[in-house]
Structures are given as structure tokens and as C-alpha cells.
Amino acid sequence: MQRKIAFTVNQQQVEIVVDTFERLIDVLRERLDLTGTKEGCGGGECGACTVLLDGESINSCLVLAVEVDGKAVRTVEGLSNYLELDKLQQAFVNEGAIQCGFCTPGMLMSARALLDKNNEPTVAEIREAISGNLCRCTGYERIVVAVSKAARPASAKA
Amino acid sequence: MENTVVGKSYPRLDGPVKALGAAKYVADLKMPNMLHVKVLRSPHPHARIVRIDSSKAAALPGVRAVLSGQDCQAMLGLYLIDRPIFAIDKVRFVGEPVAAVAATNLRLAAQALALIAVEYELLPPVLDLATALAKDAPLVHEKLHEYAHIHNVFFPVPHTNISNHSKIRKGDVNLGFSQSDYIYEATYRVPQMQHVPIEAHGAVAQMDMTGKVTIWSGCQSPNAVRKLAAVAFNLPEGRIRVITPQVGGGFGGKAGIGIEGMVMALAMRVAPYPVRLILEREEVFCGTAVRQGLQATIKTGYTKEGRLLAQEADLIWDGGAYTEYGVNIVRAAAYSSAGPYDIAHLKTDSYCVYTNTPVGGPFRGFGMGELHWALEQQIDVIAAKLGMDPVAIRLQNAARDGSTNATGEVLVGVGLDKCINEAARLIGMDSISEKKLHHGKGLACMVKGPSTPGTAASSAFIKVNEDGSINVTISSAEIGQGMQTVMAQIAAEELGLPMEMVHINTPDTDYSPYEWQTVASRITYSTGNAVQRAAREARGKLLAMASEKLESPPESLTIVRGVIARRDGIGPTTSIKELALGLSLPTGAGRGGPVMGTGYFIPDGIHGMDPETGQTPKVTSHWTFGAQAAEVAVDVETGKVNVLRVSAVYDTGFVLNPLLALGQVEGGIMQGLSVALYEELQLSQGQVKNPSFVDYKIATAAELPEMLVGFVETPLDDGPYGARGFGEHTMVPTAPAIANAIFNAVGVRIVDLPITPEKVLAALRAKPK
Amino acid sequence: MFNKFDYVVPTSWADACSFMASHPTAMIYAGGTDILVRCREGRLLPSHLVDIKGLPGATAIAQAEDGSIVIGAATPLNAIERFLKGKAGYEALVQAAHVVGSWQIRNRASVGGNICNASPAADTAPALLVLEATLRLVGPSDERILPVGEFFLAPGKTALLPGEILRSIVLPAPAEPTVSIYLKAARTKAVDLAQVGVALLMLPDKNVRVALGAVAPVPLLAWSGRQSAPPANWTTEETERLVSVVEQMVAPITDLRATADYRRHMVGVLLRRAVGQATLLHQERGEGR
């Protein structure tokens, strides 16, 4: 059972034939070579596979590829301007929010989704927004700091 | 001279590639005609394999190979060779690999698994320590006495379930008890746990038509994988190449050798096609190494002034079904069993016990988190019994210069008292009596050394490029700890280069020089020394050529941001870039050649332990001490513990990169908090009942306490710039500090991890009113 | 890896119903956050997933003229939270929707899916019970309205008939000033299943409802009746009477998430806290009037 679907990934049009039982994460990683999106559990618990679907953060391991027909997908590869890090990515690097880096793409996408809706989040809001993204290395604190800094460059002291 | 690069906060070098989503981990590698692997795992904790029929699976179109213990008799082991790649003759834990299929796609491989018929004859399982140690217990390994192991270091007890018995006999423990005013004995328990790197274990292997095998593995220790695979498959190391791309977290769970054996066995069967195995999260929980369980009974003799005089410790470790690596955790716990204290009389028996449960292995702290869970509550209890301040009793007994540890080693360069004082100050231990209702503060200390063999070596190779940049080549794995950045800082410091002129690789054993293992918090120390020496060698060559060119003796020269000039600034200059390929003489001739530097390091003078007493002048390269304190609020209605603040202070000798050091400590605190409150492999009949994040919870960002981090810098003689290892240490005292804070808050003591609300409530109910 | 199911997008509710009626192993698909997890584990092997998200009203949430609120069954929990936030009386559902899974999960997970799974621990179920939600069930030939209290039959089992689909959930307009609260006990502070869930609703007329999750085979309306005092004047005795009545109703089990004893204990703890929060809210609102 296959379907032809058309959608955008990072603003590029994609037309592809997918199996009805194929996951979005597999299409991104295996078919489109967008391996920035990671799989950490396959069960929607770790958040490593987080991408934006029409602007909302979702776990791409729990979305069928056929469902994104006509929609817009944004992955970690779509944050930067080619090699130029965006403000959030740069804050992650500068503030020590990255260690092994495996949770980083999903963490960035959750943070991006938050900042797109709320450009002055409180620390509590940041913690909550990323609480569906497990990180075993950093202890989360540097990540929270990085998201705060990316949100408010003016008060960069915080 | 003033340091210009080390000691400064540089963001990690691998930050941008990771932030871009461009970093490649094993699962991101793709090769033409790659085959996919699924593993058939044992459903039984202990059973004889009567028959395996894989003919139907092998006949399925698209299946290229099916392997089981019938086809592959290879055995693995770091310290004790007890682990087959596939179960041979019998299975010893639920989740043990019995067979594996390589097929053209995963779905086919999964279908083929279902076609493998395995007939088992159930054997009585050994599911807990009591059963394992009972007289006439069923044996998990009948042939333990035949297993190869490192003699006089590990002591298997033949025809029992004890795969190692390490002993400490220091002073006269009976005398110590007789001199004591009081004796207190208690038992503490730590369950088996998972490391939970967010990247599941994965490996790809390929054998070319000449028989050379390449393994791409998300592992901590490419050289250990190569060595252990070479032994298992009877191949020379030079015919095995291990490439380690980015690794998505290790914490010990990717140390030694893991799934690589299976993948390699299959690759050798299907050459020249590459085969790939990426574990599912459930397989990580059931099928990879876990933190060993511990039952620790500690008997302490002490004076009425609070001086610890004697300690008898029975450390019984649940090593699981195979203990090829775990035997050394048991040994390390024995020789660290005084903890961070100076105790004159010690008797320790540390046992590694086989059970039919998941395989035990190294876990961040290498037994120290488990050991200190017991020791740091024990001393807290004693303080409470004596009505003493928990900080004061620790300061009174703390190891300091001239103290002897459990092995009789005379300690030097100990900054523990400073760590205790600073951790206490940061959390405000002095205001402990003015606390709010059901709020409490507690402190715990720790010590750990790298528990490596005395021969554990590091090496580094530096080459200077035409643009004046350098490549630092090492085989340590970047598992998130920031090692690459710190190694680059050392090279940059020594060569007078800016950080952006230093490139550093991920390991490839064909091209990068030997590294024992990326474990034991030893990379900054051991590899750091090798890199420093390699850089100094390259610097020496550069300055020799510059000396000729600038007509000034080498010792008059210095390198600043790649420019070589006289220290006094007088005269002409040259640069690393100009000298990279050798010296160009005015005559048009050349001299010297492309500049390289090499360096190696083995810690000096590590001794084996006396088999009967464990006494030795130096059992490990160095010790790192630290202290943490926690402030908690206990909800006495729900039993839930809210960790509000944690302070942590470590004597790291020298902080090479404050930003990355802070990240290590914060990460350790959170892992420690998670282990304290949530984590436990729940086993029923040997089966993991919570093999997913649905029911194996780890701390989320919502749990984040306020973290207060400090460092003490007591230089280590043979550490680079004085630096000591401390990556693992950062989670060791968190759990006991929290437990001690709970006691301070509500007067109950939880001795079995994790500290669940049920346990807290039960303890509150049992508390005398 | 999922089994090889087909994916069906029906053109109408009737179309969806007739498809379901003629395909007994087909399953309704909305957010997928539960169904795909169980497919992955091999616990579900549907022949078809019938995606209802595109059907009329399936993901809509709106207030009707009579003041009631109609929620399309496939509406994601985050959308429900956004819509109901600040609307007096609906606090329990806002709070329940907020504590299901992670932010990512709540962008997909639907309220319909949350209750159609019929998990005893479903967070939104106790909230819907105290709000006296009614369910609009559409079948191949008929449709019916069912009180949510009659929906849950057993763990994993609902009153849905073959071919029948939950189309929407209707929340009647609460009398003012109603206050409702949902409190959840879980192991971690975020992203966890309920060990116990307690929903409480206090009407201005001394009527009180209490519903519980994860302490019985189904989500349970444990109490609905008049108290002797209006919410703002509750005494401790009043609360304790309610707690002891409610505690009689529970039959918890021990599982990986909590012991039966702990669950039983937490019913009382959470209910007392819910009463405390609700009476406080009542007082605040009363003063604001």
C-alpha cells in the first residue's frame, strides 16, 4: 500500500511515494538523508525525533509519512542558513548546552517551537517546553540558559 | 609563563556540527548494499539450549546469514573471558542473544527471527544474591574454573557463583573495634540500572575480500573493541579497523566490547557486504550492560568523639549473567572501601556474584556511586547518633596529606577538606537548624581513582599543516564529555596556536594512535599528557628550525598565535606556517621536513595488590575527591522528595575549561538526582519489566534543581597542568547527599535506592512518634 | 516498525462508519500517539488506520449558543487547553489536558483518543466525568448521545459498537460559579502516566462531584451529590466525610507505577488538596463578584 505525497521540508518541495505504514522519521532520515533528526526510543518518550509540522512540535516517530501530504515540515537542518547557525543554535554552542549532541536536534526544535510562539519565555516555561526531550549529559541547566539567551539578547546577562 | 588557552572557557569544538544536525552517529551512516540485523534473544533467565533450527529463516529470500552459538563459538572478555557472542549450550539471562539474522531489510530480518525454532530445557534460575550464594546453589557458570582471567588480580572461586573475591585487610579490625566506644552496622542496597545514553547502541561491520574487517561503532573504546574482537576471532589487530564516529553518550554502557562481536561475526559471513545493527531502546534496557546491583553491609567502630577507627565491609555485587568487565568494579570498590576517610583498621570483602539477570558492567563512577551510597549514609547516621554536625564529623575523618587509604597508600595532594567546606558553604549547611518544616540539608563526600590496569596507555600524534594549523590525532572517543576541546586546548597552549588552528579527529584505529579506553575519567589526565608531550615534541622541532632561520637559540624563542619570535621581541620573525613542511634555506635547498609530534603516557608506578591483604603502595594513578550537598523539601503526605538545590565542589587539580567542567558537574548532579529518586530495572523472574521510558523514568528538565558548583585546584604532580579526572565523580555523592538531606528534613533514612515516595511514606509511618 | 496497515482517509463520518463496520480489524486514527506505540510493540495489528482528522468538525472546538462546548474527537489536547484556559468551571479539563505526556505529544494526542483507549489512568477521563460530558457517537445507520460515565466498560473496552465512532464531546455549560480541579500523582514532575488522578467539581448549589483515575478498572465517578455547606464554607469534617466516601469506591492495583496502598493513600491526599484549591478559587471568585 503506497501513496504519493507532496510536502515541503525546510521550504523545499518534496514529492515521494511512501508506504502507508512508513513513519515520518524514516522518510526524513532514510529517504531524504536528513539524518539530523534522531531516533532515541521510537515511542514518543525521548523527544530526539522532534520536528515541526506546520509550526507545531511533534515526535516524528509517531507520525505517519502519509499524513504530512500538503504540510510543511521543518527539521534541524532547516534552522540554519546553510552553514550559518541561527541565534538559538549559536546560543546552544556558546552556553555549553550541547554535550554528546544526540538530543540536541530535538531539543533545538522544541525550543524553536516555544520561541516562535513566545519570545520572552520564563525559565519555568522553558523547562516545561523541553521536558519532553530527554538529555542524559547536560543536566538541562545549560540548555535552559541557552534558550533564555536566544530569546532575549537584550538582557543577555541572565 | 601565563597560560593563554588552558583554563579558559572555550565552547566545544564539536558544538556547531552538532547544532547543525550535521554530526554523524553510527545510525546516520549509510552504505551501498548494507544488510540489516535483528537479534533473537532469550525469553528465559536460565535454560539449556536443546536445539536451534534456523533452516526456515535461512531459506527466506533476502536473508543472507543466520548465526547462533552453533556457528560462532567466539568468547569475549576484558578481564575474565566468560561471555559468548551468542549463547552457547545455555542461556543465562532474559535478553541474551541466541541468534541473529542479516537480511536485505529490517522487516525481513524480523520475519526471519520468527522462523528460528529454539527448543529450551528450563534450568532453575538464580535470580537474586541470596539464591546465588546459598549452599548448593545452581551454577550460572559451571566452568568458571576454566575461564581465562588476569591472575593474581581477579580471584574467581571455582564451583561457586563468585567470579571475583577482592580483599582488603588493613591494620587489625578486631583491635579497632575493641578500641571503639560504639559500633554501628547497617545494610544498604542499590538496584541494577541502565545508563540510558540517548543514542542506542549501534555498529556497522564489513569484511572486504582480503579478509580485513572494518567496524564502525558508537563505542567508548575503539582499541578495546579491536583487541577483544581480535582475541575472539583469532585475527591480528592490524586486520581489524575500528572507526568511531560521534557517540551519543556512553556513561560506561559503551565501554569494552558490546554488540560489535555479533555484527562482526555476521559481516565475516556475508563479505563483502556491510551489516548494520542499531538496537531498539527495549534492547538497550534488556540486552546491554547495566549498572551492577550492590548489597553493602557496613560495620563501623567509632569513638564518642566521632573518630572512625574500624570498618568491616561486605560488598556483594550482583554482576548478572556475565562479569567479564564487572569483576574489576568489584576490585575497585574493595580498594576504595575506606571512602574518602582515614580509617586505621579495615576489613573488606567484595564479591562479584553471577545471577541470571542482565549483564553488569561499568557505569559512571565504576562502583563508587554504589559504594558511597552506603558509606556516606553510614557516617551520617553516626553523626546523628553522636549528636554531631554532619560536616564536622566528615572534616574530622577526612583523608588529608599523609593519611593512608584502604590499600595503605600514603596520600598526598588531598584537597577534600576544602571541598567539604565549600560545598557546605554554598548550600548553607551552617543554617541547618533554622530550617523550614520538612526541609532539610545533607552532605556527602566521595573519592575515586581511575581503576585501570597499570599498563593502560595513551598516545597522540600531531601533524602540522601547510596553513600552520595542526591535526591532533588520538583514539579517545568524544562521548559528550568535551574531551576533544580540552585536548585541542592543550595542543594550542603548548604550540602557541589559537584554538581555531587546531583540528581534532574522531578515532580510526588505522590512522589514529593507540588509546586504552575512553573510561575511568582518564582522558584529560592520560591522553592529555600524551597530547602535551606530542605538542612539545612538535614545538621542539619548530623552534629548532626557527632557531636556524632566525639565528637565535631555541630557548630565546617563543610562539604566539603561530608567530615565532624572540621573547624580547627583537629581530625577524617566522611562523609555524612557514616551517610546516621544513626549513627553506636561502640557497633554495630545504632542510628538516614536515613537522610532526608524537607523545605517549602510561601512569608511573602502579602496583598490583597483595592477594590476601590488598595492601600496595599505589593501586591507581591518582585520586580525585569531592563533596556535594543537597537541600530538599519532603512532602510528608505524598512521600515525594523535591530536590531544591545541590552544591558540588571537586578538587580537579586544574580546571582546563571552566564551561565544560561546569557542564560535567551539572550533568552529573542531574544523573545522580535521577538515580536517587527514580531509577531501577524492575525485574520479575529475571525479566526487565520496565524496558522503556514509559516506566523507566529519568529526570526531565522539570526536575532541575538550583545547582551551585565550585572547584578546588590542588595540582596533581603528573597531571597536565596539574589536572585530575573528575567526569564520573560528579554523580557519585548526589544520591547519599539527598538521602542525608531527607533524614535532616523528616528524620527517616532510606537505605535502598531509589528513594521512592512509597519508601519515604512507609518510613515516616514506622518512625517512632 | 509497524505492521503493514493501509491508511484510509474517509470522506464523511458516514463513510468512516461504514468502512469501520465492514473492516473489523480497522482502527480509528487521530493523533496516533498511543496507537502507533502499540503497533510498534506488536500489541496492535490493525488492517487499516482510518484517519478522521479531516472530517467535518473532527478537530474543531467551539462554544454553542446554549453555552455548551463541543469538542471534535480528534482535537489535540493543546488546542483544548488553549481554548478552555481561563473559562471558569473547566479548570479540571485544562489541567488534565496539560499533564498528558509532553508538549509534542499534546500537539497530536486527541481527547477522543485519550478516552477511547479506555485506559483507567487516562488523565482527561476524570475531568470529563465531573464535567458530565456527553459523547456523540455516530454509527453506520444511527447516532446516539452517551454520558461519558457509561462509556468505560473495562480496561481497554468502551461502549462503542462495531462501526461506531466517537465524533465529538459536549461539555454542558456549568452553572456559575462552578470550580473544577484535576490533580495527578506521577513519578516524575513531567511526562508521566498517572499513579492516581483526582478530579473535583464544586457547583454553587452545594453539589459536588469527584472522579478518579488509575484506582479502578475504569475511570470512576466516585461521588456526585449534595454537601451540607456551600463550597466556600466547607469544614474539615465535610472534607473528611467526602474522602471516606470516595475511598470506599476505589479498588487499585499494584503495578510498575505504584503500589495499591500508595494509590489508595493518594486518593485522599489529592482529594483534600483539590478541595483546598477549589474552595480557595470559590472564595476568590466570590469576592470578585
Side-chain angles (χ1 to χ4, degrees), chain B residues 530-558:
Chain B
V531 168
Q532 188 179 45
R533 290 177 181 182
R536 284 178 180 175
E537 185 179 301
R539 181 188 176 97
K541 289 179 183 176
L542 287 163
L543 291 187
M545 288 191 285
S547 160
E548 185 170 347
K549 180 164 185 173
L550 304 180
E551 297 178 337
S552 188
E555 55 278 11
S556 70
L557 302 175
T558 188

mmCIF file of all heavy atoms in Angstrom, chain B residues 530-558:
data_model
loop_
_atom_site.group_PDB
_atom_site.id
_atom_site.type_symbol
_atom_site.label_atom_id
_atom_site.label_comp_id
_atom_site.label_asym_id
_atom_site.label_seq_id
_atom_site.Cartn_x
_atom_site.Cartn_y
_atom_site.Cartn_z
ATOM 1 N N ALA B 530 49.676 12.764 26.912
ATOM 2 C CA ALA B 530 50.223 12.342 25.619
ATOM 3 C C ALA B 530 50.178 13.494 24.615
ATOM 4 O O ALA B 530 51.138 13.732 23.873
ATOM 5 C CB ALA B 530 49.451 11.130 25.095
ATOM 6 N N VAL B 531 49.064 14.218 24.607
ATOM 7 C CA VAL B 531 48.927 15.350 23.677
ATOM 8 C C VAL B 531 49.938 16.443 24.030
ATOM 9 O O VAL B 531 50.583 17.027 23.160
ATOM 10 C CB VAL B 531 47.469 15.889 23.706
ATOM 11 C CG1 VAL B 531 47.381 17.230 22.972
ATOM 12 C CG2 VAL B 531 46.510 14.875 23.093
ATOM 13 N N GLN B 532 50.086 16.673 25.321
ATOM 14 C CA GLN B 532 51.043 17.699 25.745
ATOM 15 C C GLN B 532 52.458 17.337 25.278
ATOM 16 O O GLN B 532 53.197 18.177 24.752
ATOM 17 C CB GLN B 532 51.009 17.833 27.264
ATOM 18 C CG GLN B 532 51.807 18.999 27.794
ATOM 19 C CD GLN B 532 51.726 19.092 29.309
ATOM 20 O OE1 GLN B 532 51.856 18.091 30.014
ATOM 21 N NE2 GLN B 532 51.473 20.287 29.819
ATOM 22 N N ARG B 533 52.797 16.082 25.425
ATOM 23 C CA ARG B 533 54.144 15.654 25.001
ATOM 24 C C ARG B 533 54.288 15.717 23.484
ATOM 25 O O ARG B 533 55.347 16.113 22.969
ATOM 26 C CB ARG B 533 54.405 14.225 25.490
ATOM 27 C CG ARG B 533 54.560 14.158 26.999
ATOM 28 C CD ARG B 533 54.731 12.714 27.432
ATOM 29 N NE ARG B 533 54.858 12.598 28.879
ATOM 30 C CZ ARG B 533 55.059 11.439 29.503
ATOM 31 N NH1 ARG B 533 55.172 10.313 28.803
ATOM 32 N NH2 ARG B 533 55.160 11.397 30.808
ATOM 33 N N ALA B 534 53.248 15.331 22.758
ATOM 34 C CA ALA B 534 53.311 15.394 21.296
ATOM 35 C C ALA B 534 53.480 16.841 20.845
ATOM 36 O O ALA B 534 54.263 17.144 19.933
ATOM 37 C CB ALA B 534 52.046 14.784 20.685
ATOM 38 N N ALA B 535 52.754 17.720 21.494
ATOM 39 C CA ALA B 535 52.839 19.135 21.122
ATOM 40 C C ALA B 535 54.216 19.693 21.453
ATOM 41 O O ALA B 535 54.793 20.479 20.687
ATOM 42 C CB ALA B 535 51.760 19.923 21.850
ATOM 43 N N ARG B 536 54.758 19.263 22.572
ATOM 44 C CA ARG B 536 56.092 19.746 22.948
ATOM 45 C C ARG B 536 57.141 19.238 21.965
ATOM 46 O O ARG B 536 58.098 19.950 21.645
ATOM 47 C CB ARG B 536 56.426 19.328 24.380
ATOM 48 C CG ARG B 536 55.673 20.188 25.377
ATOM 49 C CD ARG B 536 55.906 19.797 26.817
ATOM 50 N NE ARG B 536 55.138 20.698 27.676
ATOM 51 C CZ ARG B 536 55.043 20.575 28.984
ATOM 52 N NH1 ARG B 536 55.649 19.583 29.609
ATOM 53 N NH2 ARG B 536 54.315 21.434 29.673
ATOM 54 N N GLU B 537 56.951 18.007 21.503
ATOM 55 C CA GLU B 537 57.903 17.480 20.516
ATOM 56 C C GLU B 537 57.828 18.292 19.223
ATOM 57 O O GLU B 537 58.848 18.683 18.650
ATOM 58 C CB GLU B 537 57.624 16.002 20.243
ATOM 59 C CG GLU B 537 58.652 15.367 19.315
ATOM 60 C CD GLU B 537 58.374 13.891 19.063
ATOM 61 O OE1 GLU B 537 58.347 13.116 20.039
ATOM 62 O OE2 GLU B 537 58.177 13.527 17.883
ATOM 63 N N ALA B 538 56.603 18.559 18.767
ATOM 64 C CA ALA B 538 56.452 19.351 17.540
ATOM 65 C C ALA B 538 57.009 20.753 17.751
ATOM 66 O O ALA B 538 57.684 21.319 16.873
ATOM 67 C CB ALA B 538 54.977 19.410 17.148
ATOM 68 N N ARG B 539 56.768 21.294 18.914
ATOM 69 C CA ARG B 539 57.280 22.631 19.223
ATOM 70 C C ARG B 539 58.802 22.644 19.170
ATOM 71 O O ARG B 539 59.422 23.562 18.616
ATOM 72 C CB ARG B 539 56.789 23.054 20.612
ATOM 73 C CG ARG B 539 57.237 24.447 21.037
ATOM 74 C CD ARG B 539 56.876 24.731 22.499
ATOM 75 N NE ARG B 539 57.389 26.017 22.912
ATOM 76 C CZ ARG B 539 56.662 27.136 22.918
ATOM 77 N NH1 ARG B 539 55.392 27.108 22.568
ATOM 78 N NH2 ARG B 539 57.199 28.285 23.279
ATOM 79 N N GLY B 540 59.403 21.591 19.739
ATOM 80 C CA GLY B 540 60.862 21.498 19.726
ATOM 81 C C GLY B 540 61.403 21.501 18.303
ATOM 82 O O GLY B 540 62.392 22.190 17.991
ATOM 83 N N LYS B 541 60.752 20.778 17.415
ATOM 84 C CA LYS B 541 61.211 20.720 16.025
ATOM 85 C C LYS B 541 61.045 22.084 15.351
ATOM 86 O O LYS B 541 61.913 22.540 14.599
ATOM 87 C CB LYS B 541 60.415 19.664 15.263
ATOM 88 C CG LYS B 541 60.752 18.244 15.682
ATOM 89 C CD LYS B 541 59.913 17.243 14.896
ATOM 90 C CE LYS B 541 60.189 15.824 15.354
ATOM 91 N NZ LYS B 541 59.310 14.864 14.665
ATOM 92 N N LEU B 542 59.913 22.715 15.632
ATOM 93 C CA LEU B 542 59.661 24.027 15.033
ATOM 94 C C LEU B 542 60.690 25.047 15.517
ATOM 95 O O LEU B 542 61.245 25.822 14.728
ATOM 96 C CB LEU B 542 58.242 24.508 15.390
ATOM 97 C CG LEU B 542 57.096 23.794 14.662
ATOM 98 C CD1 LEU B 542 55.771 24.042 15.380
ATOM 99 C CD2 LEU B 542 57.000 24.263 13.204
ATOM 100 N N LEU B 543 60.962 25.015 16.807
ATOM 101 C CA LEU B 543 61.886 26.006 17.355
ATOM 102 C C LEU B 543 63.316 25.739 16.878
ATOM 103 O O LEU B 543 64.100 26.678 16.683
ATOM 104 C CB LEU B 543 61.818 26.030 18.885
ATOM 105 C CG LEU B 543 60.508 26.591 19.466
ATOM 106 C CD1 LEU B 543 60.624 26.714 20.979
ATOM 107 C CD2 LEU B 543 60.136 27.938 18.840
ATOM 108 N N ALA B 544 63.656 24.475 16.680
ATOM 109 C CA ALA B 544 64.999 24.160 16.171
ATOM 110 C C ALA B 544 65.182 24.770 14.783
ATOM 111 O O ALA B 544 66.225 25.383 14.480
ATOM 112 C CB ALA B 544 65.193 22.650 16.135
ATOM 113 N N MET B 545 64.170 24.616 13.950
ATOM 114 C CA MET B 545 64.273 25.190 12.597
ATOM 115 C C MET B 545 64.233 26.718 12.656
ATOM 116 O O MET B 545 64.974 27.399 11.938
ATOM 117 C CB MET B 545 63.146 24.657 11.711
ATOM 118 C CG MET B 545 63.341 23.190 11.335
ATOM 119 S SD MET B 545 62.203 22.642 10.044
ATOM 120 C CE MET B 545 60.693 22.508 10.938
ATOM 121 N N ALA B 546 63.373 27.211 13.529
ATOM 122 C CA ALA B 546 63.259 28.668 13.649
ATOM 123 C C ALA B 546 64.566 29.261 14.152
ATOM 124 O O ALA B 546 64.990 30.339 13.730
ATOM 125 C CB ALA B 546 62.117 29.029 14.593
ATOM 126 N N SER B 547 65.210 28.523 15.023
ATOM 127 C CA SER B 547 66.469 28.980 15.588
ATOM 128 C C SER B 547 67.496 29.171 14.472
ATOM 129 O O SER B 547 68.217 30.166 14.431
ATOM 130 C CB SER B 547 66.949 27.957 16.609
ATOM 131 O OG SER B 547 68.315 28.100 16.846
ATOM 132 N N GLU B 548 67.523 28.223 13.569
ATOM 133 C CA GLU B 548 68.450 28.326 12.442
ATOM 134 C C GLU B 548 68.063 29.508 11.550
ATOM 135 O O GLU B 548 68.896 30.310 11.137
ATOM 136 C CB GLU B 548 68.426 27.019 11.646
ATOM 137 C CG GLU B 548 69.443 27.006 10.531
ATOM 138 C CD GLU B 548 69.616 25.633 9.890
ATOM 139 O OE1 GLU B 548 69.121 24.629 10.466
ATOM 140 O OE2 GLU B 548 70.236 25.575 8.811
ATOM 141 N N LYS B 549 66.799 29.619 11.310
ATOM 142 C CA LYS B 549 66.330 30.672 10.413
ATOM 143 C C LYS B 549 66.510 32.066 11.029
ATOM 144 O O LYS B 549 66.941 32.998 10.350
ATOM 145 C CB LYS B 549 64.858 30.443 10.082
ATOM 146 C CG LYS B 549 64.282 31.494 9.137
ATOM 147 C CD LYS B 549 62.977 31.049 8.512
ATOM 148 C CE LYS B 549 62.546 32.110 7.500
ATOM 149 N NZ LYS B 549 61.386 31.674 6.739
ATOM 150 N N LEU B 550 66.191 32.163 12.308
ATOM 151 C CA LEU B 550 66.234 33.478 12.952
ATOM 152 C C LEU B 550 67.587 33.767 13.597
ATOM 153 O O LEU B 550 67.799 34.837 14.174
ATOM 154 C CB LEU B 550 65.121 33.590 14.011
ATOM 155 C CG LEU B 550 63.702 33.343 13.515
ATOM 156 C CD1 LEU B 550 62.711 33.481 14.668
ATOM 157 C CD2 LEU B 550 63.330 34.305 12.386
ATOM 158 N N GLU B 551 68.447 32.758 13.549
ATOM 159 C CA GLU B 551 69.801 32.873 14.103
ATOM 160 C C GLU B 551 69.752 33.300 15.575
ATOM 161 O O GLU B 551 70.383 34.268 15.996
ATOM 162 C CB GLU B 551 70.648 33.836 13.262
ATOM 163 C CG GLU B 551 70.828 33.299 11.856
ATOM 164 C CD GLU B 551 71.623 34.222 10.945
ATOM 165 O OE1 GLU B 551 71.667 35.427 11.249
ATOM 166 O OE2 GLU B 551 72.172 33.735 9.965
ATOM 167 N N SER B 552 68.969 32.565 16.285
ATOM 168 C CA SER B 552 68.797 32.850 17.704
ATOM 169 C C SER B 552 68.568 31.515 18.391
ATOM 170 O O SER B 552 67.908 30.642 17.840
ATOM 171 C CB SER B 552 67.579 33.767 17.869
ATOM 172 O OG SER B 552 67.495 34.214 19.191
ATOM 173 N N PRO B 553 69.147 31.294 19.578
ATOM 174 C CA PRO B 553 68.984 29.980 20.207
ATOM 175 C C PRO B 553 67.510 29.653 20.490
ATOM 176 O O PRO B 553 66.727 30.570 20.762
ATOM 177 C CB PRO B 553 69.784 30.094 21.505
ATOM 178 C CG PRO B 553 70.055 31.533 21.705
ATOM 179 C CD PRO B 553 69.937 32.224 20.399
ATOM 180 N N PRO B 554 67.147 28.363 20.429
ATOM 181 C CA PRO B 554 65.740 27.975 20.591
ATOM 182 C C PRO B 554 65.137 28.500 21.877
ATOM 183 O O PRO B 554 63.984 28.931 21.907
ATOM 184 C CB PRO B 554 65.784 26.446 20.606
ATOM 185 C CG PRO B 554 67.066 26.074 19.958
ATOM 186 C CD PRO B 554 68.021 27.213 20.177
ATOM 187 N N GLU B 555 65.930 28.471 22.959
ATOM 188 C CA GLU B 555 65.353 28.876 24.241
ATOM 189 C C GLU B 555 65.060 30.378 24.291
ATOM 190 O O GLU B 555 64.338 30.843 25.166
ATOM 191 C CB GLU B 555 66.248 28.445 25.412
ATOM 192 C CG GLU B 555 67.684 28.910 25.360
ATOM 193 C CD GLU B 555 68.600 28.021 24.475
ATOM 194 O OE1 GLU B 555 68.061 27.157 23.732
ATOM 195 O OE2 GLU B 555 69.823 28.217 24.510
ATOM 196 N N SER B 556 65.557 31.134 23.322
ATOM 197 C CA SER B 556 65.256 32.567 23.286
ATOM 198 C C SER B 556 63.953 32.842 22.546
ATOM 199 O O SER B 556 63.501 33.978 22.475
ATOM 200 C CB SER B 556 66.391 33.324 22.582
ATOM 201 O OG SER B 556 66.379 33.020 21.193
ATOM 202 N N LEU B 557 63.378 31.778 21.955
ATOM 203 C CA LEU B 557 62.217 31.971 21.074
ATOM 204 C C LEU B 557 60.912 31.599 21.749
ATOM 205 O O LEU B 557 60.889 30.775 22.671
ATOM 206 C CB LEU B 557 62.380 31.122 19.805
ATOM 207 C CG LEU B 557 63.647 31.393 18.985
ATOM 208 C CD1 LEU B 557 63.736 30.408 17.833
ATOM 209 C CD2 LEU B 557 63.658 32.842 18.473
ATOM 210 N N THR B 558 59.863 32.143 21.230
ATOM 211 C CA THR B 558 58.532 31.745 21.700
ATOM 212 C C THR B 558 57.560 31.788 20.527
ATOM 213 O O THR B 558 57.850 32.368 19.476
ATOM 214 C CB THR B 558 58.057 32.650 22.853
ATOM 215 O OG1 THR B 558 56.845 32.109 23.382
ATOM 216 C CG2 THR B 558 57.794 34.074 22.392
#
